[in-house]
């Protein structure tokens, strides 16, 4: 069977939905069912932002359950995840973003301003999470008003 990370999480969500699946900072963060729900909602929000297969999306976030949800959603959609170290700054960060040529960068709210020098559109995590929470699971409408979530430097 398929052994990709999205496939593993989907199988687990079907077989044992109520069991802990994700631990963060020493405690259970999500059951398989909760992770599945969050990832499917993120897929809907990302679809509304126009993400398509093979699009490059930079992830500029600290390690967190939300970072994993964003990455799983992007992988499920066939997008290319370009992880950037949250410790990267200045010219090095700008160079990495420019070389990646992403559709946009998903950034933790407190890191979003660091991406300005790269001249790339940024979606702040809080905005993406709010839009994802409003999405029916897995639903998306490409090109909708969510595009306003993109902040251009």
């Amino acid at each position: 069977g398929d052994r990709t990370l999205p496939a593993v999480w989907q199988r687990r969500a079907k077989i044992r939905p109520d069991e802990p699946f994700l631990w963060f900072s020493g405690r259970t963060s999500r059951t398989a069912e909760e992770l599945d729900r969050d990832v499917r909602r993120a897929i809907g929000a990302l679809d509304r932002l126009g993400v398509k297969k093979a699009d490059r999306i930079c992830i500029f976030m600290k390690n967190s359950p939300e970072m994993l949800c964003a990455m799983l959603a992007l992988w499920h959609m066939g997008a290319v995840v370009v992880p950037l170290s949250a410790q990267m700054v200045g010219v090095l960060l700008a160079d990495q973003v420019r070389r990646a040529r992403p559709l946009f960068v998903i950034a933790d709210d407190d890191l979003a301003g660091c991406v300005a020098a790269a001249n790339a559109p940024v979606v702040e995590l809080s905005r993406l999470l709010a839009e994802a929470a409003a999405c029916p699971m897995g639903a998306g409408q490409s090109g909708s008003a969510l595009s306003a979530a993109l902040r251009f430097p």
Side-chain angles (χ1 to χ4, degrees):
D2 191 354
R3 297 185 64 138
T4 63
L5 284 175
V8 169
W9 119 71
Q10 289 173 332
R11 266 195 310 276
R12 179 68 181 275
K14 288 177 185 166
I15 296 169
R16 297 184 188 123
D18 297 329
E19 287 186 11
F21 184 78
L22 180 62
W23 289 262
F24 187 74
S25 295
R27 65 181 196 280
T28 302
S29 174
R30 306 271 195 298
T31 65
E33 183 176 49
E34 290 167 337
L35 180 66
D36 188 59
R37 178 202 60 219
D38 292 348
V39 170
R40 291 189 180 283
R41 286 180 175 162
I43 290 167
L46 291 163
D47 180 63
R48 291 171 61 193
L49 279 169
V51 174
K52 303 278 186 258
K53 185 175 184 171
D55 282 344
R56 290 176 303 281
I57 308 297
C58 289
I59 300 285
F60 188 50
M61 300 169 66
K62 299 175 198 104
N63 292 341
S64 66
E66 292 75 21
M67 182 182 80
L68 180 62
C69 287
M71 293 173 77
L72 285 170
L74 289 163
W75 286 327
H76 180 79
M77 297 175 81
V80 177
V81 173
V82 182
L84 301 169
S85 170
Q87 297 176 351
M88 207 179 311
V89 293
V91 176
L92 180 60
L93 174 62
D95 182 59
Q96 291 294 307
V97 173
R98 273 195 290 270
R99 287 173 186 261
R101 292 172 292 151
L103 181 63
F104 56 84
V105 177
I106 300 173
D108 281 332
D109 293 13
D110 61 328
L111 298 175
C114 299
V115 184
N119 236 7
V122 178
V123 176
E124 292 177 343
L125 177 63
S126 63
R127 183 70 184 263
L128 183 65
L129 293 175
E131 294 294 337
C135 279
M137 292 210 321
Q141 301 169 350
S142 294
S144 76
L146 180 58
S147 296
L150 287 172
R151 190 175 56 134
F152 292 85

